[in-house]
Amino acid sequence: MLTELFTPSVQHALDIVGIFVFAISGALLAVRKNFDVFGIAVLAEVTALGGGIFRDVIIGAVPPAAFTDLGYFTTPLLAAGLVFFLHPHVERIQVAVNVFDAAGLGLFCVSGTVKAYDYGLGLTSSAALGLATAVGGGVLRDVLANEVPSLLRWDRDLYAVPAIVGSVLVVLCIRFETLNAYTSGIAVITTFTLRLLAMRYHWRAPRAYNRRSARGEEVPTGV
């Protein structure tokens, strides 16, 4: 069980940190899109909690933790307020925000995978839901902001791949009965490190074979 890997207080603190950083990224995008204060709050909440809510609904852990723990719900509002008043200063520490975002990615893909398995999903399904937990909020954020989700764009540094690696490491540990606080920590650190390296060296997933155009082209729907 997840509670056997970390104490409840440690797990809760890690969750709050991850939620806060994800909420910052959502609120910053809302500011760049010139959203009003309500839009900033909505995008912060969706980015921070969307993946976890999706996971909990799928596995039947209802009501989702986001609605039963006041801290989970209010933390994105705090982040939204911070960005609303101090967004020029927050923008200047974007590198630090990206580092914490990478840490949140690692934490959420691991905790999401473990929780999915605890609720009876198979190893493959658990890994997939761990990935969804980590990146789901970002996808919803981009959709609401009328943008192509970042993890689908070839011109963005790898984001989903590090989370996939972390989720796969967790299910391998479960399969070989070696999952504990240390091995789950290794999975978090691996995801975190891969994401940082992707940002540092601009690693990107390959596009379709032999495709050289830098611009997307629409596929004709008829003659």
Side-chain angles (χ1 to χ4, degrees), residues 38-61:
F38 181 75
I40 294 172
V42 168
L43 224 57
E45 289 280 358
V46 166
T47 307
L49 304 176
I53 291 173
F54 176 78
R55 175 203 62 209
D56 289 350
V57 170
I58 292 295
I59 63 179

Side-chain angles (χ1 to χ4, degrees), residues 113-127:
T113 302
V114 174
K115 187 169 184 178
Y117 185 78
D118 283 346
Y119 274 77
L121 269 64
L123 294 178
T124 301
S125 299
S126 296

Side-chain angles (χ1 to χ4, degrees), residues 16 18-31 35-51 53 66 71-84 101 108 136-138 140-142 144-145:
I16 291 296
I19 286 171
F20 182 80
V21 175
F22 280 178
I24 288 287
S25 71
L28 283 174
L29 179 59
V31 170
F35 288 6
D36 63 14
V37 63
F38 181 75
I40 294 172
V42 168
L43 224 57
E45 289 280 358
V46 166
T47 307
L49 304 176
I53 291 173
Y72 285 8
F73 189 79
T74 56
T75 296
L77 296 179
L78 176 62
L82 180 68
V83 170
F84 181 80
D101 180 85
F108 282 15
L140 292 173
R141 172 201 65 205
D142 292 343
L144 288 176

Side-chain angles (χ1 to χ4, degrees), residues 80 141 154 171:
R141 172 201 65 205
W154 71 271
V171 297

Side-chain angles (χ1 to χ4, degrees), residues 1 19 26 37 42 47 59 62 73 76 78 91-92 98 108 114 145 151-152 161 171 195 204 217-218 220:
M1 296 290 290
I19 286 171
V37 63
V42 168
T47 307
I59 63 179
V62 291
F73 189 79
L78 176 62
E91 291 276 12
R92 285 198 286 270
N98 288 340
F108 282 15
V114 174
L151 81 165
L152 300 180
V161 171
V171 297
R195 174 57 180 160
R204 291 166 185 170
E217 298 177 1
E218 293 185 0

